[in-house]
Amino acid sequence: MKTLCDKFLSAKVRRLSPYVAGLQPREDGWIKLNTNENPYPPSPRVGEVLHKIDTSRLRLYPDAESGDLKRAIAAAGELFEAGLCEENLFCANSADDVLALAYMAFFSGKDKILTPDISYGFYPVWGEMHDAGMEFVPIGADFSIDAGAYKNGNGVVIANPNAPTSLALPLADIERILQQNPDGVVIIDETYIAFAREGSAVALVGRYKNLLITRTFSKSHGLAGLRVGYAIGQPHLIDGLRRARDAFNSYPLDLLAQTCAAAAVSDRDYFIETTGKIIATRERVIAELRKMGCRVISSQANFIFMESSDASALYDFLCENKILTRHWNKPPGLENFLRVSIGTDDEMEGFLQCVNRFLNGEPTKPL
């Protein structure tokens, strides 16, 4: 029987299988390790610029091209080193927004869009939404991505490092994928690249007309609450994104978000300090879990992917102790794994103690 909601929905939206986001607890006292947020606050410069903002400017629309933010990203140095500049940048309301616009601009109505069969849950949703024929390439038993399997597509989208598996491709494999798919845009989603040992694909942008990189300030700069993302690519791809945006929402990134993100990216020392702390904590937690006998994938992200013989029971046990992680029942192959975001040292110590109690069969502590 159709619900009242179904009565008014379009056929396309009725067919969608929406992405399910991680839980957001509304009460204090939880250790929140389920949505890969940065455990540290943004740079102090963010607070400084917020205090100085002229609120009378809020009556005006923001800069549609996010000029100040693009200049700040370019000034950070990475683009300059790769021979790129502001015209290679596109800013929008989160990396998800950039990716959705990229699907609209480059994949809509096309078939053979290649992506790993275990990856970010939004990729198939955007495929349905934009009538893109997604082909899901199996990952290996060790969760690795085989670059040789991505050939002759009309598009490719790969998270590097991948989520939820936490593994990263070497730059040589990304270049191989670009060469094997000359007729389609290859999107490399670098949401977690700040925490990786492998290098960014930015160095390849100037050489490949089909490479588009997407990034977010949510994980690397502690700005998940502002929803700021950007893309890096050659000007013709940036123009494609701008064309899709302007047909949908020509002012996507608000003044406060642009101002705060520009302040955050300008504080390179703070970025290096906080990402370094997260990486160090990650390695310590992996080592401790392995001492307990747990299988943990060697992560290059700000989360870990760990196996448990009864992951569902471990997830419940952690929840009973007010620790949130992420557990999936599908797709097949993930049932015995938890994805655990890296928190502060104190938060991860609480997590480790709780896992140890679970493995030793100890009861839940009263909340």
Side-chain angles (χ1 to χ4, degrees):
M1 180 182 296
K2 285 186 177 181
T3 66
L4 185 59
C5 183
D6 288 336
K7 175 182 177 180
F8 296 109
L9 288 176
S10 68
K12 176 180 284 189
V13 172
R14 278 200 302 271
R15 291 195 301 267
L16 293 178
S17 301
Y19 174 76
V20 179
L23 295 174
Q24 297 283 355
R26 299 298 181 187
E27 59 181 7
D28 295 334
W30 286 83
I31 296 177
K32 192 171 180 298
L33 308 176
N34 65 327
T35 49
N36 298 342
E37 293 145 321
N38 193 311
Y40 301 107
S43 162
R45 294 185 188 178
V46 173
E48 293 170 7
V49 298
L50 274 175
H51 281 105
K52 296 177 182 177
I53 280 183
D54 176 5
T55 56
S56 70
R57 294 173 60 197
L58 296 177
R59 67 186 177 83
L60 302 173
Y61 285 111
D63 175 8
E65 296 305 322
S66 304
D68 288 345
L69 175 55
K70 289 199 288 189
R71 282 185 284 276
I73 295 170
E78 183 183 18
L79 266 66
F80 178 78
E81 292 170 4
L84 308 176
C85 62
E86 294 167 38
E87 70 176 8
N88 298 107
L89 291 170
F90 175 88
C91 299
N93 184 26
S94 76
D96 286 343
D97 196 23
V98 177
L99 285 159
L101 290 170
Y103 268 68
M104 185 189 301
F106 308 120
F107 297 164
S108 182
K110 297 181 180 180
D111 61 3
K112 201 174 183 182
I113 307 301
L114 308 177
T115 195
D117 64 341
I118 295 179
S119 193
Y120 186 29
F122 250 130
Y123 295 160
V125 178
W126 289 320
E128 290 181 86
M129 185 176 295
H130 296 292
D131 299 316
M134 306 298 294
E135 291 192 13
F136 299 98
V137 181
I139 62 174
D142 60 354
F143 297 114
S144 62
I145 291 174
D146 177 11
Y150 292 80
K151 293 180 180 178
N152 304 316
N154 291 313
V156 177
V157 56
I158 292 176
N160 192 52
N162 196 19
T165 62
S166 76
L167 295 175
L169 283 170
L171 201 57
D173 281 356
I174 294 174
E175 187 161 19
R176 181 181 179 188
I177 291 169
L178 286 161
Q179 293 169 348
Q180 291 171 169
N181 297 275
D183 297 323
V185 172
V186 175
I187 299 175
I188 303 298
D189 178 355
E190 291 192 344
T191 291
Y192 303 103
I193 197 67
F195 311 99
R197 292 182 293 276
E198 303 289 346
S200 165
V202 166
L204 302 177
V205 169
R207 290 157 46 197
Y208 291 93
K209 299 181 185 299
N210 59 331
L211 171 59
L212 187 74
I213 295 170
T214 61
R215 289 188 180 173
T216 175
F217 280 79
S218 296
K219 325 298 184 186
S220 56
H221 292 81
L223 290 175
L226 282 184
R227 314 301 293 129
V228 182
Y230 63 103
I232 308 169
Q234 291 198 15
H236 60 279
L237 297 184
I238 301 302
D239 286 343
L241 291 174
R242 188 181 294 113
R243 183 180 179 88
R245 178 201 66 194
D246 290 350
F248 176 72
N249 176 12
S250 56
Y251 296 102
L253 195 55
D254 66 71
L255 171 66
L256 298 180
Q258 292 183 37
T259 304
C260 292
V265 78
S266 71
D267 194 348
R268 184 70 180 172
D269 289 343
Y270 186 82
F271 165 80
I272 292 171
E273 176 190 349
T274 52
T275 54
K277 286 164 69 174
I278 290 166
I279 291 168
T281 302
R282 177 189 74 196
E283 296 306 304
R284 180 180 68 82
V285 169
I286 290 173
E288 291 298 321
L289 287 170
R290 286 174 175 169
K291 286 179 185 176
M292 297 179 199
C294 298
R295 178 192 175 200
V296 187
I297 307 301
S298 294
S299 175
Q300 294 202 50
N302 69 335
F303 59 86
I304 58 172
F305 201 46
M306 63 175 289
E307 187 175 20
S308 170
S309 59
D310 195 346
S312 180
L314 175 55
Y315 171 83
D316 290 340
F317 186 85
L318 290 164
C319 281
E320 290 164 3
N321 287 273
K322 302 189 80 169
I323 300 175
L324 278 177
T325 58
R326 198 76 194 268
H327 177 242
W328 291 266
N329 293 322
K330 58 182 181 179
L334 300 187
E335 301 90 343
N336 292 330
F337 283 84
L338 294 183
R339 191 196 68 191
V340 184
S341 308
I342 299 300
T344 64
D345 282 331
D346 286 346
E347 288 173 331
M348 299 315 293
E349 186 58 35
F351 164 77
L352 289 169
Q353 290 178 10
C354 199
V355 171
N356 191 51
R357 295 208 325 272
F358 174 81
L359 295 175
N360 290 327
E362 297 178 21
T364 301
K365 288 184 177 179
L367 298 182

